[in-house]
Amino acid sequence: MFRKYWQSKNIFVYLQPMKRIILFAFAALLTIAAEARIIHLLPRPQQLSEKPGAGYFALGRKVVVSDPTNCWLLQSFLEENGCKTAAKSKGRIEVKLVETIPGSYDYKLEGYENEAYRLEVDENLIKIEAVSPTGVIRAVQTLQQLAEGYQGRTAIEAVSITDWPAFKLRGYMHDCGRSFIPFDDLKRQLRLLSRFKVNTFHWHLTENQGWRFEVPLYPQLTSAASMTRHPGQYYTQEQCRELEALGRRYGIIVIPEIDMPGHSAAFERAMGHSMQTPQGMNEMKNALAELANAFPLAPYIHIGADEVNINMPEFVPTMVNWLHTMGRKVVMWNPTKAQPQLADMVQLWSTAGRLIKGRPNIDCRYNYLNHFDSFADVAAIYLSNIYYAERGSEELAGTMACTWNDHVLATSDDILRQNSFYPAVIASASRAWQGGGTRYIEERGCVLPSSGNEHDDFADWEQRFLFHKAHSLKDEPIVYVRQSHVNWRISYKGKDYDATGAGIYLNHTWGSIIPALLPKPEYGDTAFAYTQVYSPDSQKVGALIELQNYSRTEVDSVPQYGRWDCKGSRIWLNDVEIVAPIWKNYGKVIDRETPLADENMAARMPIILHLQKGWNTVRLTLPYTKVPGIRLNKWMFTFVFTDPEGQRALDLDYQPLGEKSNTP
């Protein structure tokens, strides 16, 4: 690959004699590394062509900038890469707003601009054309990735890109009412996720456990006495304005939510009465006015309206009309016992959430990260299309990945780590930008094929993501490692099934709704998993192992001492049984206020094992039993060999079929 790439670039032909000779070593190094910048763009651009022999736009020098949008992110990008603006310089960056980007796709979504852009990079010219200032931001985010990963002086490879999103809304949600996330953490996540063209942050600010939005008229709402979790922790209006303004710099819209009239126990503790009273309704109007004031740029305000009986019929219409008088559009959940048609945008949750005609809809039905495992669900959500469609429309705005962390965890990093936050959000946003996906998750399920177009598509996403995990995301709590090379043979009721991935669902979290590997199981069944792994040397390795992924929402039973799960699953490496950890909460039923400890694989260090030189056999016995104390009876396993720290998967050959020779 190196030789072919070197020849295709033919870098020596295009280096100008004398003037460029001092850059010879630099250019040669770029030749080795430059292709990685293109193959690691995430999400994958709609149209991309290289310019063989056109060289690189070197950063770290003076440049002339012409930008009618005065893009803050462009200025920040140049400063971070050592560029200074000058009146005269050979290096030029030109930004131009145009009427249209030929061949691009767009549709109307109130509050969201056309994001299409065209990017041309040559040795001394970067040219950006975009329909809107937001399109300029998207082009700069592509430049950020093209400059990522260099050692020392950075450069942008010569390339031509025409790009646009298939879906206009690509978002993520944090439930900060249940689990308070420090303000600086929210700012960091916003900055990092924007690089992957995530453009919406849904900020769920109130819940039964705590009201986190400052309302000066009612200080009791944010008092420690009114909160049952993270007492006294809330966000000031000044912080809300700061986060929203920061989001706009990165091209991210913040949608704040005060859930009403349900999920409001914190309100009732603070105020002494229900929202669904004349007094409560007036107080909520005041609170919404304060919210609108704290988020002056927000085109939408979310009012929840889910999971509660509406015994005051005028409540929801009054709140909708009140927000309309302030020039704001309203988002509501569906299903709801209110009238979702009253909303200006609808957010779909659960199997019962169905598209509302005549309104833009956000698909979140199976994007609840609190139920996700670290591997199989990430692949499933990337490979699924979005609500049966390949691209968005005026009735299908896009998708969000939602973190409903009902279960208390020790730190905000634990929330990110155990909910596979970055892999899942970026997988979801990648699919929304790129469009496509062969089938909706209700039809295609959570199975990663062992070969074919879907496997190759996911493997491509995976190698792009892992590059960024090692660079811009290197300080984030991410457990995900390569899994597309891990192959299994599953035997069940006399039939063999091929399976691929570090995480394999035999029966999914949502049972028969999301198809898994095996036909609908019956209690008392047992499946057997098997693979052979070739190691070139005898070596100490890590293994990420999980037999039951504990939802960050459920109240579940922890296995007994010495057992991997509550079903009796067992694992062997080379016919030696792998012993389960001694769980900190073994034998207990953990309620939502007892912190999850080491139950989930993501919360603990990998199991240290030894591979012998040559072929090694991994076997699992997987009973399917009804387990008292576990509502969502996941039948699944996770297994992948890593370095001893669990940071990267080892590049090993997993081949479960037939007898093996002494070499792979």
Side-chain angles (χ1 to χ4, degrees):
M1 181 177 177
F2 168 76
R3 180 176 297 172
K4 179 180 177 182
Y5 186 67
W6 179 276
Q7 292 173 350
S8 72
K9 289 299 177 189
N10 203 10
I11 191 73
F12 301 105
V13 174
Y14 292 95
L15 283 173
Q16 299 176 18
M18 301 301 292
K19 286 185 179 180
R20 296 288 182 239
I21 195 166
I22 60 173
L23 293 178
F24 178 88
F26 175 60
L29 286 172
L30 288 180
T31 303
I32 297 172
E35 188 179 36
R37 310 293 85 76
I38 289 175
I39 65 171
H40 292 136
L41 284 174
L42 188 64
R44 191 170 59 240
Q46 303 288 359
Q47 297 175 6
L48 180 151
S49 58
E50 300 179 56
K51 297 180 178 181
Y56 307 85
F57 186 97
L59 299 172
R61 58 171 166 161
K62 292 181 179 180
V63 294
V64 177
V65 178
S66 173
D67 177 14
T69 71
N70 194 29
C71 178
W72 174 86
L73 189 61
L74 176 58
Q75 294 298 324
S76 177
F77 167 74
L78 294 174
E79 290 173 9
E80 288 173 2
N81 287 278
C83 292
K84 295 183 178 180
T85 56
K88 293 182 66 176
S89 176
K90 180 172 281 190
R92 292 178 295 130
I93 298 175
E94 298 178 358
V95 176
K96 183 180 179 181
L97 292 179
V98 297
E99 290 291 325
T100 185
I101 300 294
S104 65
Y105 175 69
D106 189 46
Y107 55 93
K108 182 180 179 181
L109 180 61
E110 197 71 33
Y112 287 77
E113 293 183 330
N114 186 321
E115 298 171 273
Y117 69 91
R118 184 162 50 222
L119 176 64
E120 296 284 343
V121 181
D122 292 289
E123 186 177 9
N124 285 304
L125 175 64
I126 293 176
K127 187 175 181 180
I128 296 171
E129 293 182 344
V131 177
S132 72
T134 302
V136 177
I137 293 173
R138 301 292 173 250
V140 176
Q141 287 159 345
T142 297
L143 291 174
Q144 286 180 311
Q145 291 194 15
L146 287 169
E148 188 174 352
Y150 287 98
Q151 298 296 318
R153 191 178 184 187
T154 55
I156 306 294
E157 185 177 5
V159 68
S160 177
I161 294 173
T162 302
D163 206 6
W164 65 89
F167 291 85
K168 295 199 72 163
L169 193 152
R170 308 169 303 279
Y172 67 105
M173 189 220 75
H174 273 310
D175 173 10
C176 295
R178 286 181 173 91
S179 297
F180 182 83
I181 295 177
F183 183 63
D184 285 344
D185 290 7
L186 294 177
K187 291 196 295 183
R188 184 183 74 253
Q189 293 162 24
L190 203 154
R191 172 177 58 83
L192 291 172
L193 288 171
S194 71
R195 298 174 72 98
F196 305 95
K197 300 182 173 63
V198 171
N199 73 344
T200 304
F201 172 41
H202 173 185
W203 199 357
H204 188 83
L205 287 162
T206 66
E207 254 303 330
N208 292 322
Q209 291 86 345
W211 178 292
R212 310 291 179 191
F213 171 69
E214 178 190 34
V215 183
L217 282 172
Y218 311 120
Q220 63 268 43
L221 285 171
T222 47
S223 69
S226 70
M227 300 181 185
T228 60
R229 190 183 292 179
H230 308 296
Q233 297 292 310
Y234 65 94
Y235 307 100
T236 67
Q237 292 196 20
E238 182 181 354
Q239 287 176 320
C240 294
R241 293 187 193 93
E242 180 183 345
L243 192 76
E244 182 180 59
L246 182 66
R248 285 304 176 102
R249 288 182 165 188
Y250 289 111
I252 291 181
I253 289 173
V254 178
I255 299 178
E257 179 184 359
I258 292 180
D259 206 344
M260 61 184 83
H263 295 265
S264 55
F267 174 92
E268 293 180 10
R269 284 191 297 271
M271 308 305 288
H273 51 261
S274 168
M275 288 183 182
Q276 295 193 75
T277 61
Q279 184 179 358
M281 194 159 62
N282 286 332
E283 290 160 347
M284 287 308 301
K285 289 176 69 175
N286 290 334
L288 286 175
E290 293 284 348
L291 191 72
N293 182 59
F295 292 92
L297 305 176
Y300 297 91
I301 288 178
H302 205 308
I303 64 169
D306 62 313
E307 294 189 305
V308 67
N309 290 321
I310 307 294
N311 53 44
M312 191 177 188
E314 67 270 30
F315 183 91
V316 172
T318 298
M319 297 304 151
V320 171
N321 292 335
W322 177 241
L323 286 168
H324 285 167
T325 66
M326 292 184 280
R328 305 307 177 93
K329 295 190 176 296
V330 177
V331 188
M332 288 167 50
W333 292 103
N334 188 43
T336 173
K337 293 184 179 179
Q339 296 173 279
Q341 295 84 356
L342 294 172
D344 302 289
M345 185 152 63
V346 180
Q347 193 162 356
L348 308 181
W349 70 281
S350 88
T351 305
R354 299 297 180 186
L355 185 140
I356 301 296
K357 293 288 186 181
R359 297 286 185 272
N361 292 256
I362 308 168
D363 182 13
C364 302
R365 300 171 77 219
Y366 302 111
N367 277 33
Y368 276 29
L369 307 190
N370 45 300
H371 293 304
F372 272 28
D373 84 312
S374 297
F375 291 100
D377 285 302
V378 172
I381 210 63
Y382 173 76
L383 290 171
S384 169
N385 61 31
I386 295 169
Y387 203 81
Y388 308 100
E390 292 190 2
R391 63 183 188 179
S393 66
E394 292 189 18
E395 288 187 339
L396 186 52
T399 188
M400 277 191 203
C402 301
T403 312
W404 297 106
N405 208 90
D406 294 78
H407 215 298
V408 68
L409 291 171
T411 69
S412 60
D413 274 2
D414 290 317
I415 292 174
L416 304 187
R417 185 181 294 108
Q418 294 204 36
N419 289 290
S420 201
F421 176 77
Y422 282 104
V425 172
I426 293 170
S428 175
S430 299
R431 177 54 64 204
W433 182 277
Q434 295 163 198
T438 56
R439 292 169 293 163
Y440 192 46
I441 193 168
E442 288 181 339
E443 299 171 349
R444 77 159 308 283
C446 59
V447 178
L448 174 60
S450 300
S451 60
N453 292 337
E454 280 195 319
H455 175 272
D456 294 346
D457 183 15
F458 179 73
D460 175 72
W461 177 87
E462 181 179 68
Q463 63 90 16
R464 294 170 191 260
F465 174 77
L466 290 173
F467 174 83
H468 295 286
K469 176 190 173 185
H471 292 92
S472 63
L473 300 173
K474 62 183 174 61
D475 296 323
E476 297 307 301
I478 298 172
V479 175
Y480 188 90
V481 299
R482 183 182 174 220
Q483 63 165 326
S484 58
H485 66 306
V486 180
N487 299 303
W488 300 92
R489 170 62 57 87
I490 311 294
S491 296
Y492 175 65
K493 290 186 174 180
K495 186 176 179 180
D496 289 339
Y497 299 82
D498 291 334
T500 293
I504 305 296
Y505 271 110
L506 308 180
N507 188 57
H508 194 264
T509 304
W510 288 294
S512 60
I513 299 170
I514 305 296
L517 181 71
L518 301 182
K520 187 175 181 179
E522 297 178 357
Y523 291 127
D525 291 347
T526 299
F528 303 91
Y530 167 86
T531 193
Q532 293 183 98
V533 182
Y534 186 86
S535 176
D537 296 294
S538 175
Q539 57 179 319
K540 182 175 80 170
V541 300
L544 301 181
I545 302 175
E546 189 165 75
L547 279 302
Q548 165 74 29
N549 176 261
Y550 284 81
S551 166
R552 277 66 62 194
T553 287
E554 297 297 307
V555 175
D556 285 337
S557 300
V558 180
Q560 296 293 332
Y561 184 92
R563 301 185 69 174
W564 276 104
D565 63 7
C566 295
K567 301 182 186 70
S569 301
R570 299 172 70 185
I571 318 169
W572 293 265
L573 172 61
N574 296 327
D575 295 324
V576 177
E577 187 162 8
I578 300 174
V579 179
I582 300 173
W583 313 109
K584 294 178 181 178
N585 291 318
Y586 69 85
K588 299 178 182 178
V589 175
I590 43 175
D591 62 29
R592 293 190 179 107
E593 301 308 315
T594 300
L596 285 171
D598 54 356
E599 292 84 1
N600 280 328
M601 170 269 298
R604 59 181 185 266
M605 293 297 294
I607 303 296
I608 300 301
L609 300 171
H610 283 82
L611 292 179
Q612 62 191 23
K613 183 177 181 179
W615 290 103
N616 297 262
T617 300
V618 179
R619 294 188 295 111
L620 295 92
T621 297
L622 304 162
Y624 185 58
T625 62
K626 189 170 185 177
V627 180
I630 291 184
R631 183 178 72 92
L632 298 177
N633 198 353
K634 303 176 183 181
W635 195 21
M636 52 88 67
F637 70 90
T638 294
F639 192 104
V640 60
F641 288 115
T642 68
D643 61 1
E645 293 72 36
Q647 292 301 302
R648 62 177 182 85
L650 299 182
D651 189 17
L652 302 172
D653 187 33
Y654 291 74
Q655 292 295 338
L657 304 178
E659 293 297 323
K660 299 300 175 186
S661 62
N662 291 326
T663 58

